[in-house]
Amino acid sequence: MYVPSSFRQNDLTQLHDQMRATGLAVLTSSGSQGLQASHLPLLLEPGEGEFGTLYGHFARANPHWRDLAEDAETLVVFAGPDAYVTPGWYPAKAEHGKVVPTWNYIAVHAWGQAEVFDDPERLLRLVSRLSDRHEAGRPQPWAVDEAPREYLDSMLRAIVGFALPIRRLEGKWKLGQNRPAADQAGVREGLAASSNPRDRELAARMTAID
């Protein structure tokens, strides 16, 4: 990922927060089966290793996990909020017209090599934690142990888990930091007035870096 210094995010807490906030990550690798990508919900254990460890699982029928079992290098992409930025939001447009459209966004990339596992009890702990995380806050959260154990066992046989210690972590907060303060304010106001909730989220993130 190309990351100019003005957009680089090095704060580990903020990187981890964004990773947790991304519901569905994109895991990519290049191995004996060629370039592969899978969309997966992941768990982050921040205290395991220098940058944390990611946990997730594949459907056993998905051949992608076999590349991870062969120690293929893996890149996981966590995409945050993003928004189109029109030149019309820049006061500089009225001053000299030397402005063009751009796209503001937040993204985190994590690299590593994974350990693959299919131990039923370890898989059960993983899917239980994933479910608990995403069920939290619901009026009547569902728990894995509500399903019959025989059925759960059959489901566990159909998946393969992995642990991915993060070897390198990179964050890009492209929020107009390279623009004059007046232009940044114009973009924040434009995004904040949008009907798109992702635009408004990005406006709030721009405010947070001031």
Side-chain angles (χ1 to χ4, degrees), residues 8-35:
R8 186 174 299 278
Q9 177 58 260
N10 293 318
D11 185 273
L12 187 59
T13 298
Q14 291 198 52
L15 294 171
H16 281 172
D17 286 347
Q18 183 57 56
M19 293 162 73
R20 293 189 191 94
T22 302
L24 200 65
V26 181
L27 186 150
T28 67
S29 66
S30 182
S32 61
Q33 301 177 87
L35 186 63

Short mmCIF file of all heavy atoms in Angstrom, two decimals, residues 8-35:
data_model
loop_
_atom_site.label_atom_id
_atom_site.label_comp_id
_atom_site.label_asym_id
_atom_site.label_seq_id
_atom_site.Cartn_x
_atom_site.Cartn_y
_atom_site.Cartn_z
N ARG A 8 0.28 8.39 7.06
CA ARG A 8 0.67 7.17 7.78
C ARG A 8 0.13 7.18 9.20
O ARG A 8 0.24 8.17 9.92
CB ARG A 8 2.19 7.04 7.80
CG ARG A 8 2.67 5.71 8.41
CD ARG A 8 4.17 5.55 8.28
NE ARG A 8 4.57 5.55 6.87
CZ ARG A 8 4.53 4.48 6.10
NH1 ARG A 8 4.08 3.33 6.59
NH2 ARG A 8 4.90 4.54 4.83
N GLN A 9 -0.45 6.04 9.60
CA GLN A 9 -0.96 5.85 10.95
C GLN A 9 -0.11 4.79 11.64
O GLN A 9 -0.11 3.63 11.24
CB GLN A 9 -2.42 5.43 10.93
CG GLN A 9 -3.03 5.13 12.28
CD GLN A 9 -2.96 6.31 13.22
OE1 GLN A 9 -2.08 6.37 14.09
NE2 GLN A 9 -3.87 7.26 13.05
N ASN A 10 0.61 5.18 12.69
CA ASN A 10 1.49 4.26 13.39
C ASN A 10 0.99 3.87 14.77
O ASN A 10 1.58 3.00 15.41
CB ASN A 10 2.89 4.88 13.53
CG ASN A 10 3.60 5.02 12.20
OD1 ASN A 10 3.55 4.12 11.36
ND2 ASN A 10 4.25 6.16 11.98
N ASP A 11 -0.09 4.51 15.24
CA ASP A 11 -0.57 4.24 16.58
C ASP A 11 -1.24 2.86 16.63
O ASP A 11 -2.27 2.63 15.99
CB ASP A 11 -1.57 5.33 17.00
CG ASP A 11 -2.02 5.16 18.44
OD1 ASP A 11 -2.99 4.42 18.67
OD2 ASP A 11 -1.38 5.76 19.32
N LEU A 12 -0.64 1.95 17.39
CA LEU A 12 -1.12 0.57 17.41
C LEU A 12 -2.55 0.46 17.93
O LEU A 12 -3.34 -0.34 17.42
CB LEU A 12 -0.18 -0.30 18.25
CG LEU A 12 -0.44 -1.80 18.23
CD1 LEU A 12 -0.35 -2.36 16.81
CD2 LEU A 12 0.55 -2.53 19.15
N THR A 13 -2.90 1.28 18.92
CA THR A 13 -4.27 1.23 19.45
C THR A 13 -5.27 1.61 18.38
O THR A 13 -6.31 0.96 18.22
CB THR A 13 -4.39 2.18 20.66
OG1 THR A 13 -3.51 1.73 21.70
CG2 THR A 13 -5.82 2.18 21.19
N GLN A 14 -4.99 2.67 17.62
CA GLN A 14 -5.91 3.09 16.57
C GLN A 14 -5.98 2.05 15.45
O GLN A 14 -7.05 1.81 14.89
CB GLN A 14 -5.50 4.45 16.01
CG GLN A 14 -5.69 5.59 17.00
CD GLN A 14 -5.72 6.93 16.33
OE1 GLN A 14 -6.45 7.15 15.38
NE2 GLN A 14 -4.89 7.85 16.82
N LEU A 15 -4.85 1.45 15.12
CA LEU A 15 -4.85 0.40 14.10
C LEU A 15 -5.72 -0.78 14.54
O LEU A 15 -6.55 -1.29 13.78
CB LEU A 15 -3.42 -0.06 13.82
CG LEU A 15 -2.49 0.96 13.18
CD1 LEU A 15 -1.06 0.45 13.17
CD2 LEU A 15 -2.93 1.28 11.76
N HIS A 16 -5.54 -1.20 15.79
CA HIS A 16 -6.33 -2.32 16.31
C HIS A 16 -7.81 -1.96 16.38
O HIS A 16 -8.68 -2.80 16.06
CB HIS A 16 -5.82 -2.72 17.69
CG HIS A 16 -4.59 -3.56 17.65
ND1 HIS A 16 -3.88 -3.90 18.78
CD2 HIS A 16 -3.92 -4.14 16.62
CE1 HIS A 16 -2.85 -4.65 18.46
NE2 HIS A 16 -2.86 -4.80 17.15
N ASP A 17 -8.13 -0.73 16.78
CA ASP A 17 -9.53 -0.32 16.85
C ASP A 17 -10.18 -0.40 15.47
O ASP A 17 -11.34 -0.84 15.36
CB ASP A 17 -9.64 1.11 17.38
CG ASP A 17 -9.37 1.21 18.88
OD1 ASP A 17 -9.35 0.16 19.55
OD2 ASP A 17 -9.20 2.34 19.37
N GLN A 18 -9.46 0.03 14.44
CA GLN A 18 -10.03 -0.03 13.10
C GLN A 18 -10.19 -1.47 12.64
O GLN A 18 -11.18 -1.82 11.98
CB GLN A 18 -9.14 0.72 12.10
CG GLN A 18 -9.71 0.76 10.68
CD GLN A 18 -11.10 1.37 10.65
OE1 GLN A 18 -11.29 2.50 11.10
NE2 GLN A 18 -12.07 0.63 10.12
N MET A 19 -9.25 -2.33 12.98
CA MET A 19 -9.37 -3.75 12.61
C MET A 19 -10.60 -4.37 13.25
O MET A 19 -11.34 -5.13 12.61
CB MET A 19 -8.09 -4.49 13.01
CG MET A 19 -6.88 -4.04 12.21
SD MET A 19 -5.30 -4.49 12.97
CE MET A 19 -5.27 -6.26 12.65
N ARG A 20 -10.85 -4.04 14.52
CA ARG A 20 -12.04 -4.58 15.19
C ARG A 20 -13.31 -4.01 14.59
O ARG A 20 -14.34 -4.68 14.55
CB ARG A 20 -11.99 -4.25 16.68
CG ARG A 20 -10.89 -4.95 17.46
CD ARG A 20 -11.09 -4.72 18.95
NE ARG A 20 -9.95 -5.15 19.73
CZ ARG A 20 -8.94 -4.36 20.10
NH1 ARG A 20 -8.97 -3.07 19.75
NH2 ARG A 20 -7.94 -4.82 20.82
N ALA A 21 -13.26 -2.75 14.15
CA ALA A 21 -14.45 -2.11 13.61
C ALA A 21 -14.82 -2.62 12.22
O ALA A 21 -15.95 -2.43 11.78
CB ALA A 21 -14.24 -0.59 13.55
N THR A 22 -13.87 -3.24 11.54
CA THR A 22 -14.14 -3.77 10.21
C THR A 22 -14.78 -5.15 10.34
O THR A 22 -14.14 -6.10 10.78
CB THR A 22 -12.83 -3.88 9.39
OG1 THR A 22 -12.21 -2.59 9.31
CG2 THR A 22 -13.11 -4.39 7.99
N GLY A 23 -16.04 -5.25 9.99
CA GLY A 23 -16.76 -6.50 10.19
C GLY A 23 -16.24 -7.64 9.33
O GLY A 23 -16.13 -8.78 9.77
N LEU A 24 -15.90 -7.34 8.08
CA LEU A 24 -15.49 -8.37 7.14
C LEU A 24 -14.17 -7.95 6.50
O LEU A 24 -14.12 -6.96 5.76
CB LEU A 24 -16.56 -8.56 6.06
CG LEU A 24 -16.54 -9.88 5.28
CD1 LEU A 24 -16.84 -11.06 6.20
CD2 LEU A 24 -17.54 -9.84 4.14
N ALA A 25 -13.12 -8.70 6.78
CA ALA A 25 -11.80 -8.42 6.22
C ALA A 25 -11.63 -9.20 4.92
O ALA A 25 -12.36 -10.15 4.64
CB ALA A 25 -10.72 -8.80 7.21
N VAL A 26 -10.63 -8.81 4.13
CA VAL A 26 -10.28 -9.53 2.90
C VAL A 26 -8.90 -10.14 3.10
O VAL A 26 -7.91 -9.41 3.28
CB VAL A 26 -10.28 -8.60 1.67
CG1 VAL A 26 -9.92 -9.39 0.42
CG2 VAL A 26 -11.63 -7.93 1.49
N LEU A 27 -8.84 -11.47 3.12
CA LEU A 27 -7.59 -12.19 3.30
C LEU A 27 -7.11 -12.67 1.94
O LEU A 27 -7.84 -13.36 1.22
CB LEU A 27 -7.80 -13.36 4.26
CG LEU A 27 -6.57 -14.15 4.69
CD1 LEU A 27 -6.76 -14.73 6.09
CD2 LEU A 27 -6.26 -15.29 3.71
N THR A 28 -5.88 -12.29 1.58
CA THR A 28 -5.33 -12.66 0.28
C THR A 28 -4.02 -13.40 0.47
O THR A 28 -3.29 -13.18 1.44
CB THR A 28 -5.08 -11.42 -0.60
OG1 THR A 28 -4.04 -10.62 -0.02
CG2 THR A 28 -6.34 -10.57 -0.74
N SER A 29 -3.70 -14.27 -0.49
CA SER A 29 -2.42 -14.96 -0.48
C SER A 29 -2.11 -15.42 -1.90
O SER A 29 -2.99 -15.50 -2.76
CB SER A 29 -2.44 -16.17 0.47
OG SER A 29 -3.34 -17.15 -0.02
N SER A 30 -0.84 -15.70 -2.12
CA SER A 30 -0.40 -16.23 -3.40
C SER A 30 0.41 -17.48 -3.13
O SER A 30 1.49 -17.41 -2.54
CB SER A 30 0.44 -15.20 -4.17
OG SER A 30 0.83 -15.70 -5.43
N GLY A 31 -0.15 -18.62 -3.54
CA GLY A 31 0.51 -19.89 -3.29
C GLY A 31 0.46 -20.78 -4.51
O GLY A 31 0.38 -20.30 -5.64
N SER A 32 0.47 -22.07 -4.27
CA SER A 32 0.50 -23.02 -5.37
C SER A 32 -0.77 -22.98 -6.22
O SER A 32 -0.76 -23.42 -7.38
CB SER A 32 0.69 -24.44 -4.82
OG SER A 32 -0.37 -24.80 -3.95
N GLN A 33 -1.84 -22.43 -5.65
CA GLN A 33 -3.10 -22.33 -6.41
C GLN A 33 -3.29 -20.96 -7.05
O GLN A 33 -4.36 -20.66 -7.56
CB GLN A 33 -4.27 -22.64 -5.48
CG GLN A 33 -4.19 -24.02 -4.84
CD GLN A 33 -5.32 -24.27 -3.88
OE1 GLN A 33 -6.39 -24.71 -4.28
NE2 GLN A 33 -5.09 -23.97 -2.61
N GLY A 34 -2.24 -20.14 -6.99
CA GLY A 34 -2.33 -18.81 -7.57
C GLY A 34 -2.81 -17.79 -6.55
O GLY A 34 -2.88 -18.06 -5.35
N LEU A 35 -3.16 -16.62 -7.04
CA LEU A 35 -3.62 -15.54 -6.16
C LEU A 35 -5.05 -15.81 -5.71
O LEU A 35 -5.92 -16.07 -6.54
CB LEU A 35 -3.55 -14.21 -6.91
CG LEU A 35 -3.86 -12.95 -6.12
CD1 LEU A 35 -2.85 -12.75 -5.00
CD2 LEU A 35 -3.86 -11.73 -7.04
#
